[in-house]
PDB file of all heavy atoms in Angstrom:
ATOM      1  N   MET A 204       5.019  43.484   8.622  1.00  0.00           N
ATOM      2  CA  MET A 204       5.239  42.104   8.997  1.00  0.00           C
ATOM      3  C   MET A 204       4.170  41.481   9.638  1.00  0.00           C
ATOM      4  O   MET A 204       3.783  40.335   9.455  1.00  0.00           O
ATOM      5  CB  MET A 204       6.608  42.096   9.928  1.00  0.00           C
ATOM      6  CG  MET A 204       7.777  42.494   9.242  1.00  0.00           C
ATOM      7  SD  MET A 204       9.217  42.487  10.326  1.00  0.00           S
ATOM      8  CE  MET A 204       9.262  40.795  10.877  1.00  0.00           C
ATOM      9  N   LEU A 260       1.989  30.395  14.985  1.00  0.00           N
ATOM     10  CA  LEU A 260       1.833  29.311  14.070  1.00  0.00           C
ATOM     11  C   LEU A 260       1.885  27.980  14.641  1.00  0.00           C
ATOM     12  O   LEU A 260       1.273  27.008  14.228  1.00  0.00           O
ATOM     13  CB  LEU A 260       2.932  29.395  12.986  1.00  0.00           C
ATOM     14  CG  LEU A 260       2.716  30.605  12.133  1.00  0.00           C
ATOM     15  CD1 LEU A 260       3.946  30.746  11.116  1.00  0.00           C
ATOM     16  CD2 LEU A 260       1.413  30.519  11.248  1.00  0.00           C
ATOM     17  N   SER A 261       2.525  27.872  15.926  1.00  0.00           N
ATOM     18  CA  SER A 261       2.469  26.571  16.562  1.00  0.00           C
ATOM     19  C   SER A 261       1.074  26.356  17.234  1.00  0.00           C
ATOM     20  O   SER A 261       0.695  25.132  17.111  1.00  0.00           O
ATOM     21  CB  SER A 261       3.577  26.593  17.734  1.00  0.00           C
ATOM     22  OG  SER A 261       3.278  27.494  18.760  1.00  0.00           O
ATOM     23  N   ASP A 322      25.251  26.864  10.966  1.00  0.00           N
ATOM     24  CA  ASP A 322      26.177  26.173  11.804  1.00  0.00           C
ATOM     25  C   ASP A 322      25.672  25.009  12.477  1.00  0.00           C
ATOM     26  O   ASP A 322      26.362  24.397  13.318  1.00  0.00           O
ATOM     27  CB  ASP A 322      26.765  27.246  12.936  1.00  0.00           C
ATOM     28  CG  ASP A 322      25.668  27.837  13.676  1.00  0.00           C
ATOM     29  OD1 ASP A 322      24.395  27.575  13.334  1.00  0.00           O
ATOM     30  OD2 ASP A 322      25.971  28.527  14.652  1.00  0.00           O
ATOM     31  N   ALA A 349      21.320  17.841  -0.790  1.00  0.00           N
ATOM     32  CA  ALA A 349      20.142  16.946  -1.078  1.00  0.00           C
ATOM     33  C   ALA A 349      20.564  15.532  -0.778  1.00  0.00           C
ATOM     34  O   ALA A 349      19.701  14.803  -0.275  1.00  0.00           O
ATOM     35  CB  ALA A 349      19.729  17.115  -2.583  1.00  0.00           C
ATOM     36  N   LYS A 355      20.147  10.578   5.230  1.00  0.00           N
ATOM     37  CA  LYS A 355      19.748  10.724   6.675  1.00  0.00           C
ATOM     38  C   LYS A 355      18.114  10.364   6.783  1.00  0.00           C
ATOM     39  O   LYS A 355      17.760  10.271   7.946  1.00  0.00           O
ATOM     40  CB  LYS A 355      19.930  12.031   7.221  1.00  0.00           C
ATOM     41  CG  LYS A 355      21.337  12.431   7.228  1.00  0.00           C
ATOM     42  CD  LYS A 355      21.609  13.907   7.915  1.00  0.00           C
ATOM     43  CE  LYS A 355      21.353  13.988   9.345  1.00  0.00           C
ATOM     44  NZ  LYS A 355      21.801  15.301   9.920  1.00  0.00           N
ATOM     45  N   GLY A 356      17.638   9.922   5.684  1.00  0.00           N
ATOM     46  CA  GLY A 356      16.286   9.424   5.730  1.00  0.00           C
ATOM     47  C   GLY A 356      15.152  10.339   5.246  1.00  0.00           C
ATOM     48  O   GLY A 356      13.934   9.967   5.423  1.00  0.00           O
ATOM     49  N   ASP A 358      12.142  11.677   3.060  1.00  0.00           N
ATOM     50  CA  ASP A 358      11.210  11.346   1.986  1.00  0.00           C
ATOM     51  C   ASP A 358      10.878  12.466   1.168  1.00  0.00           C
ATOM     52  O   ASP A 358      10.571  12.280  -0.070  1.00  0.00           O
ATOM     53  CB  ASP A 358       9.843  10.899   2.692  1.00  0.00           C
ATOM     54  CG  ASP A 358       9.974   9.657   3.590  1.00  0.00           C
ATOM     55  OD1 ASP A 358      10.708   8.720   3.103  1.00  0.00           O
ATOM     56  OD2 ASP A 358       9.400   9.573   4.661  1.00  0.00           O
ATOM     57  N   ASP A 378      18.067  31.014 -19.266  1.00  0.00           N
ATOM     58  CA  ASP A 378      16.887  31.324 -18.356  1.00  0.00           C
ATOM     59  C   ASP A 378      17.045  30.928 -17.055  1.00  0.00           C
ATOM     60  O   ASP A 378      17.104  29.577 -16.796  1.00  0.00           O
ATOM     61  CB  ASP A 378      15.660  30.600 -19.012  1.00  0.00           C
ATOM     62  CG  ASP A 378      14.361  31.031 -18.329  1.00  0.00           C
ATOM     63  OD1 ASP A 378      14.429  31.629 -17.301  1.00  0.00           O
ATOM     64  OD2 ASP A 378      13.293  30.719 -18.749  1.00  0.00           O
ATOM     65  N   VAL A 399       9.662  19.739  -2.875  1.00  0.00           N
ATOM     66  CA  VAL A 399       8.682  20.756  -2.884  1.00  0.00           C
ATOM     67  C   VAL A 399       9.475  22.111  -2.747  1.00  0.00           C
ATOM     68  O   VAL A 399      10.172  22.342  -1.854  1.00  0.00           O
ATOM     69  CB  VAL A 399       7.833  20.583  -1.558  1.00  0.00           C
ATOM     70  CG1 VAL A 399       6.788  21.687  -1.467  1.00  0.00           C
ATOM     71  CG2 VAL A 399       7.067  19.227  -1.585  1.00  0.00           C
ATOM     72  N   SER A 444       5.430   6.061  -1.369  1.00  0.00           N
ATOM     73  CA  SER A 444       5.928   4.767  -1.852  1.00  0.00           C
ATOM     74  C   SER A 444       6.618   4.820  -3.101  1.00  0.00           C
ATOM     75  O   SER A 444       7.451   3.814  -3.441  1.00  0.00           O
ATOM     76  CB  SER A 444       4.756   3.683  -1.780  1.00  0.00           C
ATOM     77  OG  SER A 444       3.874   4.076  -2.723  1.00  0.00           O
ATOM     78  N   PRO A 461      31.118   5.269  -1.996  1.00  0.00           N
ATOM     79  CA  PRO A 461      31.768   6.266  -1.130  1.00  0.00           C
ATOM     80  C   PRO A 461      33.243   6.331  -1.009  1.00  0.00           C
ATOM     81  O   PRO A 461      33.913   7.318  -0.654  1.00  0.00           O
ATOM     82  CB  PRO A 461      31.055   5.962   0.169  1.00  0.00           C
ATOM     83  CG  PRO A 461      29.860   5.363  -0.184  1.00  0.00           C
ATOM     84  CD  PRO A 461      30.079   4.487  -1.394  1.00  0.00           C
TER      85      PRO A 461
END
Side-chain angles (χ1 to χ4, degrees):
M204 294 175 61
L260 293 174
S261 65
D322 56 352
K355 294 181 74 171
D358 297 315
D378 186 348
V399 178
S444 68

